């Protein structure tokens, strides 16, 4: 399933941008901003159709080649692969306070099983597994910051709900 943001053809001459913040961290707002700036933006896709990690990783690369920018799940799980495959790319970690994040996740997804979430979090639903989701959220954000620690020009961290916006992005 592709995002409604999937529009137009890839744009030559602009660096790829990978939104690697987890869902419910203003990823759609980021995608809309990138679209406004002229990026061809791709979004969510389902991980359940892949029989192996190798097939999934090949699909990630294939899809990343189709777009100037991507956002939403499961892209955040592949930031190291994307960085290795697309040197010179830029990465944006959208984040927010973990307690407001998990409330939003549970409100939006509840007890509905989502294969891509199970792939990332290791549990079938948000509701009833809030602690697991928060642990993964915090571990992901920490891991991204650590991975890009010596490369500040490659990673932009944005807390859009806390007021980050056009000034930080541009």
């Amino acid at each position: 399933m592709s995002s409604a943001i999937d529009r137009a053809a890839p744009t030559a001459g602009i660096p790829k941008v990978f939104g690697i913040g987890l869902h419910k961290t203003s990823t759609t707002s980021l995608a809309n901003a990138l679209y406004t700036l002229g990026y061809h933006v791709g979004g969510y896709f389902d991980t359940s159709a892949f029989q192996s990690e190798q097939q999934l990783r090949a699909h990630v690369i294939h899809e990343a080649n189709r777009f100037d920018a991507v956002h939403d799940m499961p892209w955040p799980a592949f930031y190291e692969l994307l960085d290795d495959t697309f040197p010179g790319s830029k990465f944006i970690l959208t984040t927010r306070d973990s307690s407001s994040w998990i409330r939003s996740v549970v409100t939006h997804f509840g007890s509905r099983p989502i294969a891509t979430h199970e792939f990332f979090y290791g549990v079938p639903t948000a509701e009833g597994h809030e602690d697991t989701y928060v642990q993964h959220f915090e571990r992901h954000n920490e891991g991204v910051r650590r991975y890009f620690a010596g490369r500040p020009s490659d990673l932009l961290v944005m807390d859009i709900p806390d007021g980050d916006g056009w000034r930080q992005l541009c």
Side-chain angles (χ1 to χ4, degrees):
M1 174 178 185
S2 293
S3 165
I5 304 298
D6 300 346
R7 305 174 187 148
T11 307
I14 60 175
K16 284 195 178 287
V17 175
F18 297 108
I20 55 173
L22 302 187
H23 47 199
K24 307 313 289 175
T25 60
S26 299
T27 57
T28 301
S29 295
L30 173 63
N32 286 328
L34 291 170
Y35 176 72
T36 298
L37 292 171
Y39 285 80
H40 174 217
V41 183
Y44 171 86
F45 68 89
D46 187 357
T47 58
S48 66
F50 302 97
Q51 302 302 312
S52 70
E53 180 81 14
Q54 182 180 358
Q55 284 181 343
L56 178 55
R57 291 169 64 90
H59 181 76
V60 165
I61 300 307
H62 172 77
E63 288 298 294
N65 272 309
R66 294 181 51 223
F67 299 102
D68 302 321
V70 298
H71 74 107
D72 212 345
M73 298 301 280
W75 296 103
F78 299 99
Y79 66 90
E80 292 179 29
L81 173 64
L82 295 166
D83 186 40
D84 288 342
T85 307
F86 301 98
S89 295
K90 303 299 180 186
F91 292 81
I92 301 174
L93 176 65
T94 49
T95 190
R96 68 191 281 189
D97 173 74
S98 61
S99 59
S100 69
W101 174 78
I102 193 60
R103 281 192 306 273
S104 179
V105 167
V106 170
T107 297
H108 190 81
F109 300 109
S111 60
R112 184 172 28 127
I114 301 169
T116 301
H117 291 196
E118 188 164 4
F119 163 78
F120 189 83
Y121 297 103
V123 293
T125 64
E127 191 172 4
H129 301 282
E130 292 87 351
D131 289 344
T132 300
Y133 268 60
V134 169
Q135 288 169 3
H136 277 75
F137 175 77
E138 291 174 349
R139 191 175 323 130
H140 172 75
N141 291 345
E142 202 174 286
V144 167
R145 286 182 170 107
R146 191 172 39 254
Y147 180 83
F148 287 102
R151 299 166 45 201
S153 65
D154 293 340
L155 176 67
L156 173 63
V157 178
M158 295 184 74
D159 186 338
I160 295 170
D162 196 39
D164 288 345
W166 286 110
R167 186 174 60 81
Q168 291 78 15
L169 183 62
C170 295

